[in-house]
Amino acid sequence: MENVDIVIVGAGVIGLAIAYEISSHNKDIYVVEKNNSFGQETSSRNSEVIHAGIYYPKGSLKSVTCLEGNKLIYELCREGGIAHKRIGKLIAAKDGNEIERLEKLFKHALSCGVEDIKLIDKNEIIKLEPNLKADVAIYSGSTGIVDTHSLMKHLETKAKYNSVQFVYNAQVTSINREKNNFVLEINDSDKEKIKISTRMVINSSGLYSDKISEMAGIREESYKLKFCKGQYFRLSSQKSRMINRLIYPVPDIKGRDLGIHATPDLAGSVRLGPDAEYISGNILDYSLNLRKKKLFYESIHDLLPFISDSDLTEDTSGIRPKLQGPDDGFRDFIIKHEKDRGLDGFINLIGIESPGLTASIAIARVVKSQTQEIFNER
């Protein structure tokens, strides 16, 4: 049986960021990942947007970590030579009801401490995005895009340099408490069972984080994930050249998603999406529904009337691990040391959806602080 100090379950962008951050102070760390490489699920199937922190309730983990994470991601990208671009974003409104909601959103963002934002009128909109039809918009100058694969590769490389061991094709099947340690039973690539004894478990397993938590003995209804599928369509190259920045609608009142938006990528192409469809059953179903093309076209046509449905081709899809159900109000990230449940050394990260990519380094620093407290108490 292997004996280590820390096991991180999951090598998405959050697990990688945690490994990167905590390995500067701890050397005996394993990252176990059921897939054959890092970031094979949620982390590689998103809009690749660096968010400003406009939408989230003041003081929430989503707000605080996004605001801090925005600065940290840009800093890391500059230092690491990671491809990114601060292209800016417009949240656009057309009618009176939308404008009223947009103005409330703007005031909220200012109260949260979001920087480099302003309300702009139609004349200013035309200067920035001549093909966008809107009367008022929030302009966010700190919103950008990033090459998520390069970001994750950088985090993995830096963690490996700090002696972190990555074990891929390794699926955790059970977690048991034995004295002051946790014993993880793992199926490796040959379907053989191996055991690892560790002082600390950090559960950053994304779509499976509630299940990993249950393996440790936590059966908490409020931890159960709901799975929300989002699909993307790609614009033709000709129409992509008519969009310069991220363009978002005024968000859904319930905050379930940010609406189908236009996202340029680093190659100059533009994707539309994602939509939001709660699913059950196979949570790795990335199949595409071509019948949604009309919905996408209709949802974006008022703001971008130069787009026709023939400009759209199917692209990709992803699954969000949400704590918020379709009829629920806001739910925050869970980042919690489960000491009060008798699980000293077990740290849960559950419901890490958007803005998880932006917040990844900031989230990792929250976990780093928790790990230091755990070791200091022992």
Side-chain angles (χ1 to χ4, degrees):
M1 185 187 309
E2 292 277 353
N3 289 281
V4 301
D5 283 340
I6 301 173
V7 171
I8 300 168
V9 183
V13 69
I14 302 299
L16 294 168
I18 293 168
Y20 164 78
E21 279 290 327
I22 69 174
S23 59
S24 60
H25 287 81
N26 305 280
K27 296 301 178 186
D28 196 10
I29 303 168
Y30 273 39
V31 178
V32 296
E33 165 59 52
K34 69 182 182 62
N35 291 301
N36 62 9
S37 185
F38 59 78
Q40 296 293 293
E41 295 170 359
T42 307
S43 297
S44 60
R45 293 176 170 271
N46 55 59
S47 299
E48 299 190 302
V49 174
I50 301 174
H51 288 288
I54 291 170
Y55 303 97
Y56 316 106
K58 185 176 181 178
S60 65
L61 277 170
K62 287 185 177 180
S63 176
V64 171
T65 58
C66 185
L67 289 169
E68 181 185 0
N70 176 279
K71 295 180 174 67
L72 293 174
I73 284 285
Y74 281 123
E75 181 182 317
L76 182 68
C77 287
R78 288 191 298 270
E79 292 176 354
I82 300 163
H84 70 290
K85 193 173 183 181
R86 194 190 296 252
I87 60 174
K89 162 180 166 179
L90 294 174
I91 307 173
K94 290 200 70 174
D95 60 37
N97 179 265
E98 282 192 347
I99 291 171
E100 183 180 347
R101 284 160 50 203
L102 188 77
E103 289 172 344
K104 285 183 180 178
L105 182 62
F106 178 69
K107 291 176 182 177
H108 168 76
L110 289 178
S111 74
C112 290
V114 178
E115 298 176 355
D116 197 11
I117 61 168
K118 59 182 179 178
L119 272 179
I120 61 175
D121 61 20
K122 184 182 292 188
N123 291 331
E124 292 174 287
I125 291 169
I126 290 172
K127 290 176 184 176
L128 296 174
E129 290 289 341
N131 299 299
L132 172 61
K133 301 301 179 185
D135 295 317
V136 182
I138 294 173
Y139 172 72
S140 169
S142 67
T143 303
I145 51 177
V146 63
D147 179 345
T148 53
H149 180 83
S150 295
L151 171 65
M152 290 190 287
K153 184 62 180 175
H154 178 81
L155 293 170
E156 184 201 44
T157 299
K158 287 292 187 180
K160 284 182 175 179
Y161 181 80
N162 287 338
S163 302
V164 175
Q165 299 292 314
F166 284 82
V167 186
Y168 292 113
N169 295 306
Q171 184 166 2
V172 177
T173 57
S174 70
I175 302 173
N176 293 295
R177 189 72 161 158
E178 294 187 7
K179 296 182 179 179
N180 292 323
N181 279 14
F182 296 92
V183 175
L184 281 69
E185 193 168 88
I186 295 167
N187 281 347
D188 66 12
S189 56
D190 298 320
K191 303 301 180 186
E192 293 184 5
K193 292 190 181 296
I194 58 174
K195 289 186 177 182
I196 300 177
S197 178
T198 179
R199 298 171 66 190
M200 191 182 305
V201 176
I202 300 171
N203 172 22
S204 61
S205 54
L207 296 170
Y208 300 90
S209 54
D210 57 344
K211 301 303 181 187
I212 295 295
S213 182
E214 286 180 5
M215 287 182 194
I218 301 172
R219 288 168 177 80
E220 173 64 57
E221 188 65 29
S222 65
Y223 282 17
K224 287 190 178 299
L225 290 172
K226 291 85 178 175
F227 303 102
C228 188
K229 185 174 182 178
Q231 183 168 314
Y232 296 87
F233 283 83
R234 190 170 294 273
L235 274 185
S236 65
S237 58
Q238 179 184 4
K239 297 297 176 69
S240 289
R241 288 193 290 269
M242 298 174 71
I243 298 173
N244 303 309
R245 293 164 184 82
L246 293 144
I247 297 174
Y248 281 58
V250 180
D252 171 78
I253 293 173
K254 289 189 175 182
R256 291 174 297 188
D257 65 282
L258 303 181
I260 293 172
H261 46 272
T263 308
D265 62 23
L266 291 165
S269 183
V270 171
R271 288 193 300 166
L272 300 180
D275 62 341
E277 177 188 356
Y278 280 87
I279 63 170
S280 58
N282 180 9
I283 62 172
L284 296 180
D285 177 13
Y286 299 122
S287 61
L288 301 175
N289 183 352
L290 302 186
R291 288 174 294 181
K292 286 189 173 184
K293 181 188 284 192
K294 183 179 179 182
L295 180 151
F296 274 65
Y297 162 71
E298 291 176 346
S299 70
I300 204 74
H301 186 258
D302 282 348
L303 294 177
L304 301 170
F306 63 90
I307 295 175
S308 64
D309 59 0
S310 62
D311 295 318
L312 305 183
T313 56
E314 64 273 18
D315 187 69
T316 188
S317 67
I319 312 293
R320 308 167 180 92
K322 297 177 76 72
L323 287 164
Q324 178 183 351
D327 299 315
D328 297 337
F330 173 80
R331 289 293 306 277
D332 206 357
F333 293 153
I334 292 172
I335 308 173
K336 188 173 185 292
H337 177 210
E338 302 287 1
K339 183 178 180 179
D340 61 345
R341 300 179 190 271
L343 294 171
D344 182 29
F346 192 93
I347 298 175
N348 256 329
L349 293 96
I350 302 177
I352 311 296
E353 50 156 338
S354 183
L357 172 63
T358 305
S360 56
I361 305 300
I363 289 171
R365 292 190 176 183
V366 172
V367 174
K368 181 179 181 179
S369 176
Q370 292 179 347
T371 63
Q372 289 171 338
E373 289 177 5
I374 292 167
F375 281 122
N376 289 337
E377 289 173 358
R378 291 186 176 184

